[in-house]
Every structure is written in C-alpha cells, then in structure tokens.
Amino acid sequence: MIFVRPNIEALSPYVPGEQPSANDQLKLNTNESPYSPPDSVIQALHAVSGELLRRYPPATSENFRSIAARTHGVKPEQIIATHGGDELLRLAFTVFCTPGNGSGTTSRGAAVMTPSYSLYDVLAAIQDTPLHRIELTEAFEIPAGAESRLAHSGCGLALVVNPHAPSGRRTPVQRLAALADVCPGVLLVDEAYVDFADEDALSLVTGPNAKKNVLLLRSLSKGYALAGIRFGYGIADPAIIQHLDKARDSYNLNVVSQRLAEAALEARETYRSLWTQVRKDREDLRLGLQQLGFVVFPSETNFLLATHPGGVAKTKSLFAHLKAQQIYVRYFPVPGLEDKLRITVGTAVQHQRLLAAVTRHLDVG
Ligand SMILES: Cc1ncc(COP(=O)(O)O)c(C=O)c1O
C-alpha cells in the first residue's frame, strides 16, 4: 500500500469545463476568446528556432517581466510570470497559508468570497489549510460586514475575484482598498477578466499609496486569446514577489510561451479592439437573453450569468438540451447557482445559434 496524505486522499479535484472534440461544437463554457491572437503573436510562434528549443528557457522570464513592468508602470521586481494564473494561485497558497489545518497558534488559513472560482477550495484542500468563507449577497456583492469578518479571519491570504466569477460583477477599487487595509494577510485580487472591465485595481500596487499586502493576478488566457499557452502573472510589492519566486519551479515557463506572451503584451493596442468587440457582443447577448425572460447579472467580463425564468429543473434540462446540440455552456450544481447558466461571450453568429436553441427549448416548455 502506498501512503497518501489524508487530505489528498479525501480531495475532490477541480473539475474543468469540458473540452469536446466534435466538429460542429459551439464552445461557450470556458471563457476562451472567440478570436485568434493578432498576427504579430503568430509570427513570434513561427520565429521559434531549433536552437532556441535546444536550450533551457530564461529562468525568471526577465524579458516578459520588463515588458509587463513597462506596460503597467511598475518595476520588473514587482512582476512574477507564472504558468497560467493558476500557478500564481498555487504559489500564493503555498507561501502565505500554513499547512496542517488549523493546528498550532501561528496557523494562517485562506479567506474566500463564496461563490467564486472553485479552484480556490481545491488549492486550500491541497495545502491542508483552514478556509474561511465570506458569503456574497444574492446579487453577488461583497456584504456589508466583510471587512470586519476578514479582519478577524486570521488569514494569511484572502482572495477576491474582480470582476467576479461567475457573476461578472465588478467591485469598485475603493472597496478593495478597504478590504486590503483590514486584511491580516495578503489580499489577492484575481483580475483574470479585467481586460473586459471599466476599471482595474492597478492603483493598489502602484504609486506612493501602493499597498504592501496586495497581489494582483493577471491571465493571458481570456483577454489575450492565449489559453493554450498557459501564461499568467502577478503584480505586487517586490517583497511579495520575492517570496513567491522562491517557491516556483526553476524553469516554470517554456521558451515558446514566453516568446508569445512577450509578443502579446507588445500588441496590447491591437487587443484593445478585440476587447471592445467582446464588450459590444456581451451587451447584444445580454439583451437577447433578457428578451427570452432570463435575468442577467451586470457583467464586466467575457461571460454572462443568466438565471432561467423556469427555475432549477428547467435550467438543468436546458443545459442538457444545449449539450445534445453540441452547444456547451457552464452549469454549476451548487447552492445559489443551480438555476443559472454561465455563458461565454462569443461572436454574433454564435449567439444566433445559441439563442435559437434556447428559444426552441423554451417553446417546447
Ligand atoms: C477567476 C479565475 N481566476 C484565475 C483563472 C486562471 O486562469 P489561467 O490559469 O488560465 O490563467 C481562471 C480561469 O478560468 C478564473 O476563472
């Protein structure tokens, strides 16, 4: 018999959205971009030589970090590049949360707003660290008492997705600043979807009033149409970055993804038109769903959370009906989300197909 740590033995792993391989599929379930990255990014891929592949990649992604620093007006020491935003999350749990689920007087767990990205729960279980849950309101807003609950949580790490997943709602930066001020540990603001939002939280980590305990997460998977290369990064005070850096794999990012990520950040201006298009299509889809009777949450992301007018049973049957037609959206069978579908913003043509299928299902009753 092999020995497995009891917390891993008991763990329910993270369930990613399906990646079906059928030809006729319409994939609106994992918030990927409906558009390809710009030509300059594809050219960077073609420019990868055998000689480059023969050698180990830059260990600290220094070129990417200088480009990201220049992009955001911070120093390269304030950036860490990671294998998707997910690696940054894993590093944050490793560095700021103590293992051993609450034993010992110096125990530091994690605080999360519920519901949110379900990977947080899995990472807490892997680290075997206590998880302090702060329930969001029914409208997915941070509740009035969150500051005092956070202050008393004794956490080493608090996580807030902003704009929020799975609702799409954005919390103003002033509120995040108030949370950071009372947070006993590091406040990680997960900005995986920020490219589609009206405001970001960069002001928390830049300038004279920068907070020493805030860590921003950025991802190239959504806004940069690069989910396939697994690339994300963190922005924070150099002290936070230094500690995270000690805990990462020595060569955590391969050379191909580094080159593509560098080209992507350099092409930020080209991407802006893509983000504008997604915001326009998001509004069109929202109106289309509303006309069919769905209640749709205000979203500043590339997805919408839509409440089915017919309740839980109809939501489940619509989800199955769409899947049978190769239309994939996301359903979360957890309290508060059981009568809702999360739908990635696609193209106008994709929306037509989705809305037609939804209409047929509603007509049949
Ligand atoms: C809220 C949130 N944070 C972080 C991530 C991680 O993104 P990635 O690892 O693809 O950069 C995701 C991915 O779906 C997400 O939804």
Side-chain angles (χ1 to χ4, degrees):
M1 273 284 276
I2 55 162
F3 168 77
V4 175
R5 286 169 57 207
N7 60 310
I8 303 292
E9 179 106 60
L11 181 76
S12 309
Y14 175 71
V15 183
E18 284 177 86
Q19 296 291 356
S21 55
N23 281 338
D24 189 30
Q25 57 168 275
L26 172 49
K27 208 169 159 303
L28 302 175
N29 64 339
T30 50
N31 304 334
E32 289 148 336
S33 166
Y35 307 105
S36 292
D39 289 348
S40 59
V41 176
I42 306 300
Q43 278 155 18
L45 177 63
H46 291 151
V48 172
S49 64
E51 177 57 15
L52 202 64
L53 295 177
R54 187 179 66 75
R55 303 200 331 232
Y56 279 98
T60 58
S61 306
E62 57 263 13
N63 197 28
F64 173 83
R65 286 173 46 238
S66 342
I67 295 170
R70 196 170 2 101
T71 304
H72 299 304
V74 297
K75 296 187 232 119
E77 308 89 85
Q78 290 184 261
I79 306 280
I80 181 168
T82 55
H83 192 241
D86 284 351
E87 188 195 7
L88 183 68
L89 293 171
R90 186 183 278 266
L91 289 175
F93 274 90
T94 307
V95 171
F96 304 120
C97 299
T98 48
N101 214 351
S103 54
T105 47
T106 54
S107 164
R108 290 296 198 113
V112 295
M113 308 279 166
T114 316
S116 67
Y117 187 27
S118 56
L119 182 68
Y120 298 165
D121 296 53
V122 176
L123 292 174
I126 292 173
Q127 179 70 357
D128 199 18
T129 201
L131 196 58
H132 186 92
R133 292 175 199 279
I134 300 173
E135 297 282 335
L136 296 172
T137 67
E138 268 188 23
F140 301 101
E141 283 166 326
I142 297 176
E147 278 78 359
S148 108
R149 295 198 44 201
L150 188 57
H152 295 105
S153 67
C155 72
L157 175 69
L159 301 112
V160 178
V161 192
N162 201 50
H164 178 247
S167 74
R169 188 184 279 284
R170 180 176 58 78
T171 299
V173 72
Q174 295 86 334
R175 185 78 197 273
L176 299 175
L179 290 168
D181 286 342
V182 298
C183 182
V186 168
L187 177 73
L188 189 154
V189 182
D190 182 339
E191 295 196 303
Y193 297 98
V194 80
D195 302 310
F196 310 103
D198 290 347
E199 179 189 68
D200 64 24
L202 257 184
S203 62
L204 297 183
V205 292
T206 51
N209 300 324
K211 311 234 174 254
K212 298 276 183 209
N213 68 334
V214 171
L215 168 61
L216 301 188
L217 176 152
R218 295 289 176 99
S219 169
L220 270 62
S221 298
K222 328 286 180 181
Y224 291 85
L226 285 171
I229 68 166
R230 310 297 302 119
F231 208 101
Y233 58 103
I235 316 172
D237 186 78
I240 290 187
I241 299 296
Q242 244 174 42
H243 291 300
L244 292 169
D245 207 40
K246 287 188 273 183
R248 88 184 151 76
D249 283 349
S250 40
Y251 299 102
N252 64 329
L253 288 158
N254 71 68
V255 70
V256 182
S257 58
Q258 286 190 42
R259 287 290 170 97
L260 268 63
E262 290 159 16
L265 250 60
E266 298 278 24
R268 213 171 139 82
E269 287 314 309
T270 312
Y271 275 107
R272 282 191 199 285
S273 58
L274 189 153
W275 301 335
T276 307
Q277 183 66 43
V278 169
R279 289 161 68 119
K280 185 191 159 298
D281 293 336
R282 177 176 75 201
E283 181 58 12
D284 292 346
L285 178 60
R286 187 182 70 81
L287 291 172
L289 288 165
Q290 261 177 11
Q291 270 161 18
L292 294 178
F294 286 79
V295 175
V296 185
F297 287 86
S299 170
E300 292 197 21
T301 63
N302 67 339
F303 58 81
L304 294 173
L305 188 68
T307 307
H308 195 298
V312 176
K314 295 271 191 227
T315 312
K316 284 185 183 165
S317 104
L318 173 60
F319 176 68
H321 166 82
L322 293 175
K323 191 169 164 177
Q325 293 175 61
Q326 307 290 349
I327 300 175
Y328 293 83
V329 297
R330 198 78 194 265
Y331 179 66
F332 300 100
V334 299
L337 295 173
E338 284 165 311
D339 59 349
K340 299 174 175 45
L341 294 176
R342 193 199 67 188
I343 305 169
T344 304
V345 175
T347 62
V349 172
Q350 292 175 333
H351 294 169
Q352 265 172 21
R353 178 170 161 198
L354 169 79
L355 294 173
V358 173
T359 306
R360 279 196 298 278
H361 188 256
L362 292 174
D363 286 347
V364 174

